[in-house]
Amino acid sequence: MYPIATNVTQVKKYSLPPLSLYIHLPWCVSKCPYCDFNSHAARTPPDQIRYIRALIADLEHDLPYVQNRPLHSIFIGGGTPSLFDADAVAMLLERVKAHLKLKPNCEITIEANPESASLAKLKRLRQAGVNRISIGIQSLNDKLLTNIGRAHNAKRAVQAFENARLAGFANINCDLMFGLPEQTERQALSDLTSVIILKPEHISWYQLTIEPNTLFYTRKPRLPDDDAVWQLQLAGIQTLKESGYKRYEVSAYSHHKPCLHNLNYWQFGDYLGIGAGAHGKLTLAAGYKIVRTHKHRLPERYMERTMENSSCVGIRRLDAPTATFEFLLNALRLTEGFSRELFSRTGQNDSLLEQKLSPFIDKKWIISEKHLLKPTAYGIRFLNEILLYCLPDASNT
């Protein structure tokens, strides 16, 4: 492990960024054919208490990285975290709070799938301190849900949303995908308008992509063509805008309540990552070093090794070119742009930004103002091309 300063005043030039906590619960009812996350079908019920003990041991191991900072947000992801008993999640949060200080009104999110989002469970989660819920709806068309291997139907998805409201959640995100196998533009926009009618505070609306190490990668489904998907996306963006949802990130739309946890990612903040396969990004006060951590991927192996005090598979320091690239990978997703001052979180001078992005400033893909760099609509559309140019091992670096 790299040396860690216990007193943040050792940082002379740069202050440490905000700190979040990501907790990974890796089990699902079944593995969706498009999913490349570290998730595992639960053939038998997982030992939830054993896993939570491992999570807390993992957290205790990472405590030196906290460096006197309160938690900005907590995000419980997966997998399907709502498969866990609500009392088990409550116990987990109690133990987290016993180890770490939380900022006032700390955002605490849990992901839930409709098939495991009963009213009683959601009420208990709300009582436990969870104040934001992200529901994996994906579509409100039963045929399309079957095409992508989801375990719920449209009726259960709407019921899950209504349960969340009845349980007292005033901050709900709905996950919704477009560009699904055999999906028409009409079906995609119908899904979107149906979700808008529910009036969630946040909608994550994003295109299905085929990733390696998924069933869809080896058995490619028939997807809408790229031009059709682009026209659909433009129509959807306009629909969301007219309905009062602000696009603040490539695939995130908010009605006054952006996701604070994800904003911390996109603004190159720090986060502890605990759980099987979890990743973390952390800044060390001693010398202002930035490191990435990752944990054992397989749940059984993770639990065994964590209890042996060796949860961390690896830790690597980011060199300056890699830190610059990872900063841009995140910050350029923000539609309102980012301040030059934010780049100091890489430990480098912001003059490097102008140098790195000058070709795209010249092409009007990025707007350069006194204190702000902002991607244009064209820049957002061709974000991958910008990032490919900025890769650390590219010939222009």
Side-chain angles (χ1 to χ4, degrees):
M1 182 180 291
Y2 288 95
I4 300 172
T6 57
N7 187 341
V8 296
T9 59
Q10 290 184 35
V11 180
K12 294 180 180 179
K13 188 176 180 182
Y14 306 110
S15 60
L16 292 176
L19 180 69
S20 294
L21 172 64
Y22 175 75
I23 304 171
H24 193 71
L25 308 186
W27 290 281
C28 287
V29 171
S30 59
K31 182 78 172 179
C32 294
Y34 59 85
C35 178
D36 68 336
F37 295 153
N38 184 36
S39 59
H40 305 266
R43 295 178 178 85
T44 58
D47 188 337
Q48 298 181 20
I49 301 303
R50 181 180 173 221
Y51 189 74
I52 287 171
R53 287 173 180 158
L55 286 172
I56 297 306
D58 190 359
L59 178 62
E60 289 170 348
H61 182 268
D62 282 358
L63 285 178
Y65 293 121
V66 174
Q67 301 169 102
N68 301 329
R69 289 174 290 179
L71 283 184
H72 173 85
S73 61
I74 300 172
F75 195 103
I76 305 173
T80 306
S82 55
L83 281 182
F84 269 54
D85 295 337
D87 286 342
V89 175
M91 182 178 74
L92 170 62
L93 289 175
E94 286 174 8
R95 295 191 179 184
V96 168
K97 292 172 185 177
H99 285 82
L100 296 170
K101 181 180 179 182
L102 275 58
K103 289 189 68 175
N105 301 315
C106 176
E107 180 187 87
I108 304 177
T109 303
I110 192 167
E111 291 181 332
N113 279 347
E115 67 274 11
S116 54
S118 68
L119 178 56
K121 178 177 287 187
L122 296 181
K123 282 183 175 179
R124 179 69 183 100
L125 290 171
R126 188 69 192 90
Q127 291 168 358
V130 178
N131 52 30
R132 184 176 185 273
I133 189 163
S134 180
I135 304 173
I137 290 178
Q138 311 311 359
S139 175
L140 287 172
N141 181 299
D142 288 347
K143 183 177 184 297
L144 296 178
L145 286 169
T146 299
N147 287 350
I148 59 173
R150 299 295 288 179
H152 66 274
N153 58 26
K155 183 178 179 180
R156 293 189 77 172
V158 173
Q159 186 62 62
F161 182 90
E162 292 174 350
N163 286 346
R165 280 286 188 246
L166 290 170
F169 283 94
N171 194 356
I172 302 175
N173 170 64
C174 291
D175 259 8
L176 191 66
M177 294 195 297
F178 63 90
L180 304 180
E182 302 179 26
Q183 185 182 46
T184 65
E185 178 176 333
R186 182 177 180 179
Q187 289 171 327
L189 292 177
S190 175
D191 276 351
L192 184 58
T193 54
S194 295
V195 167
I196 289 171
I197 288 170
L198 296 175
K199 297 183 179 179
E201 285 69 31
H202 192 282
I203 297 175
S204 296
W205 190 60
Y206 54 95
Q207 182 182 352
L208 170 67
T209 55
I210 305 302
E211 303 291 348
N213 302 315
T214 65
L215 183 61
F216 274 176
Y217 189 77
T218 55
R219 302 179 191 175
K220 288 185 171 59
R222 189 176 66 183
L223 300 177
D225 67 63
D226 290 344
D227 287 341
V229 169
W230 174 244
Q231 293 304 315
L232 162 63
Q233 187 172 16
L234 291 177
I237 290 170
Q238 185 62 30
T239 298
L240 284 156
K241 182 179 179 181
E242 291 172 355
S243 301
Y245 287 89
K246 181 180 179 181
R247 188 189 193 195
Y248 68 98
E249 186 267 345
V250 170
S251 59
Y253 302 79
S254 167
H255 198 269
H256 308 303
K257 288 187 178 180
C259 178
L260 299 182
H261 186 87
N262 286 344
L263 271 175
N264 196 39
Y265 289 161
W266 298 321
Q267 293 174 344
F268 212 57
D270 278 0
Y271 54 96
L272 299 165
I274 63 172
H279 289 246
K281 177 258 172 182
L282 299 150
T283 307
L284 311 184
Y288 207 85
K289 302 178 181 73
I290 301 170
V291 298
R292 291 277 185 187
T293 62
H294 65 281
K295 308 299 174 65
H296 287 280
R297 186 173 185 275
L298 298 176
E300 185 62 33
R301 179 69 167 163
Y302 168 80
M303 287 187 282
E304 290 173 356
R305 295 302 301 273
T306 300
M307 300 311 291
E308 296 168 2
N309 200 32
S310 56
S311 63
C312 191
V313 172
I315 180 169
R316 64 182 176 90
R317 181 181 175 183
L318 302 189
D319 58 21
T322 304
T324 297
F325 174 74
E326 293 198 5
F327 175 88
L328 294 173
L329 181 69
N330 287 282
L332 284 174
R333 295 180 64 88
L334 296 167
T335 59
E336 295 300 311
F338 57 90
S339 69
R340 294 174 183 276
E341 182 183 359
L342 198 67
F343 189 67
S344 67
R345 291 182 178 178
T346 66
Q348 301 172 83
N349 191 286
D350 64 19
S351 61
L352 182 62
L353 278 174
E354 202 81 27
Q355 173 189 336
K356 182 67 73 172
L357 297 176
S358 59
F360 307 103
I361 294 170
D362 293 342
K363 293 167 75 170
K364 309 297 184 187
W365 288 14
I366 294 175
I367 297 169
S368 176
E369 297 174 344
K370 186 175 181 181
H371 299 295
L372 187 74
L373 287 162
K374 177 181 177 179
T376 62
Y378 218 70
I380 290 174
R381 182 180 180 184
F382 295 102
L383 183 57
N384 287 341
E385 282 79 355
I386 298 174
L387 294 173
L388 185 63
Y389 177 89
C390 294
L391 276 170
D393 57 351
S395 60
N396 51 72
T397 59

